[in-house]
Amino acid sequence: MPRKEVYGGVTITITKDHDEMSKIATAIILDKIKSRSLNLLVPTGTTPQGVYTLLKEQGKSIFPKATFFNMDEYCVQSEDTIKLINSTSPVSYRQYMKEWLFGESQVRSYFPGIENIDQEGTYDKIIKQHGGIGLCINAIGEDGHTFGFNFPGTSFASRTRLVKIQQQTKEVNQKLTGMETPEYAMTIGLKTGMESEEIILLVSGERKADILRKVIIEPINEKLPATILRNHKNCHWIVDEAAASKLGK
Ligand code: PGA
């Protein structure tokens, strides 16, 4: 059974493992989508894979009511221009979403950078035109980045824009995917993510234990972007035992 504990004023649901974390998060999503159409802001990476596997099984009942907005997508430099990575590249997040969630189903989905990659905030306008985000699934990186690639030092007022991927994250992603990480990405901003009505933050595994502890106990500040989540009024913090292992120490 999951338990709830409070650290630094934040109520955290601690689950036995990644599977239980994924089941609890999926139940919240299914309950919400049961009664209404839903705009979802979604990440990639290893953290949400359990949730996506469970949601994919329910695809037929979910996809007609859901519109997915991805948080980020890689970009590559070709000659002197930077452009969105090809959707057929195995490292692209459009491929990832197809593999883990969408399959061959017809799904309404958006990715930042399709419209253009030059103008900050274009994607935010598209999200607003669709009525905003009802539910955001979110994760954190080992350096505290969150809502996509918002690295340490990112302004809390940031919106969707082009960023250069930092070396540490490149190496982590390379190890996890076995593929070379591109140099650039379009990512939503911290402000974009925080405008979601409701957030499910998932943190899993021992490699996230140090950063989760910092995100909970350190002052809310731009050097640790994920601390901004403590300002959100409707964020479910759902973490597994391994990620929670350094809380309270
Ligand atoms: P991960 O990535 O889910 O693969 O740990 C999280 C992130 O870097 O945001």
Side-chain angles (χ1 to χ4, degrees), residues 43-49 71-72 93 96 138-143 145-149 151 169 172-173 176 202 204 207-208:
T44 56
T46 54
T47 306
Q49 286 173 350
M71 288 180 176
D72 42 17
Y93 288 161
Y96 170 103
N138 195 16
I140 58 176
E142 286 162 50
D143 60 356
H145 71 250
T146 197
F147 290 125
F149 291 116
F151 296 112
T169 298
V172 170
N173 287 4
L176 291 170
L202 302 174
S204 171
R207 73 185 169 95
K208 300 285 176 71

Side-chain angles (χ1 to χ4, degrees), residues 40-45 48 52 55-56 63 68-73 87 90-105 107-111 137:
L40 292 119
L41 185 59
V42 290
T44 56
Y52 293 162
L55 286 179
K56 197 174 181 182
F63 294 150
F68 294 93
F69 292 87
N70 260 81
M71 288 180 176
D72 42 17
E73 177 58 295
S87 65
V91 78
S92 88
Y93 288 161
R94 283 164 286 170
Q95 277 300 318
Y96 170 103
M97 291 307 287
K98 198 169 167 190
E99 179 187 343
W100 285 98
L101 183 56
F102 302 157
E104 295 306 319
S105 303
V107 179
R108 280 187 303 279
S109 85
Y110 293 82
F111 288 81
I137 304 167

Side-chain angles (χ1 to χ4, degrees), residues 49-246:
Q49 286 173 350
V51 171
Y52 293 162
T53 302
L54 295 170
L55 286 179
K56 197 174 181 182
E57 289 165 10
Q58 314 271 334
K60 278 202 179 71
S61 57
I62 296 169
F63 294 150
K65 290 162 95 181
T67 304
F68 294 93
F69 292 87
N70 260 81
M71 288 180 176
D72 42 17
E73 177 58 295
Y74 285 125
C75 293
V76 289
Q77 182 151 17
S78 105
E79 293 172 3
D80 50 4
T81 53
I82 296 170
K83 57 178 189 131
L84 209 63
I85 197 164
N86 202 309
S87 65
T88 55
S89 163
V91 78
S92 88
Y93 288 161
R94 283 164 286 170
Q95 277 300 318
Y96 170 103
M97 291 307 287
K98 198 169 167 190
E99 179 187 343
W100 285 98
L101 183 56
F102 302 157
E104 295 306 319
S105 303
Q106 286 294 322
V107 179
R108 280 187 303 279
S109 85
Y110 293 82
F111 288 81
I114 300 279
E115 298 279 318
N116 71 58
I117 64 168
D118 299 326
Q119 222 176 325
E120 180 155 341
T122 302
Y123 193 60
D124 296 63
K125 287 192 195 122
I126 297 171
I127 291 173
K128 282 201 177 121
Q129 280 159 8
H130 283 79
I133 298 299
L135 184 62
C136 166
I137 304 167
N138 195 16
I140 58 176
E142 286 162 50
D143 60 356
H145 71 250
T146 197
F147 290 125
F149 291 116
N150 291 290
F151 296 112
T154 301
S155 162
F156 281 174
S158 54
R159 294 207 171 270
T160 310
R161 69 210 183 281
L162 181 69
V163 293
K164 198 162 173 16
I165 314 273
Q166 289 190 349
Q167 191 59 26
Q168 185 198 1
T169 298
K170 265 171 109 170
E171 285 165 15
V172 170
N173 287 4
Q174 218 137 299
K175 212 157 109 193
L176 291 170
T177 63
M179 293 184 276
E180 199 179 331
T181 309
E183 292 285 311
Y184 299 92
M186 283 296 288
T187 181
I188 63 160
L190 294 169
K191 182 99 177 166
T192 321
M194 286 294 282
E195 285 171 351
S196 307
E197 263 174 45
E198 189 171 344
I199 298 172
I200 298 175
L201 174 70
L202 302 174
V203 191
S204 171
E206 214 243 312
R207 73 185 169 95
K208 300 285 176 71
D210 280 324
I211 193 65
L212 179 62
R213 180 172 178 277
K214 283 189 194 152
V215 165
I216 293 292
I217 64 166
E218 298 223 344
I220 296 173
N221 78 96
E222 292 177 349
K223 285 195 199 125
L224 254 182
T227 55
I228 197 175
L229 289 159
R230 284 163 41 207
N231 283 338
H232 198 282
K233 298 281 178 292
N234 198 4
C235 179
H236 308 263
W237 296 65
I238 307 175
V239 319
D240 65 17
E241 198 74 70
S245 59
K246 294 194 176 159

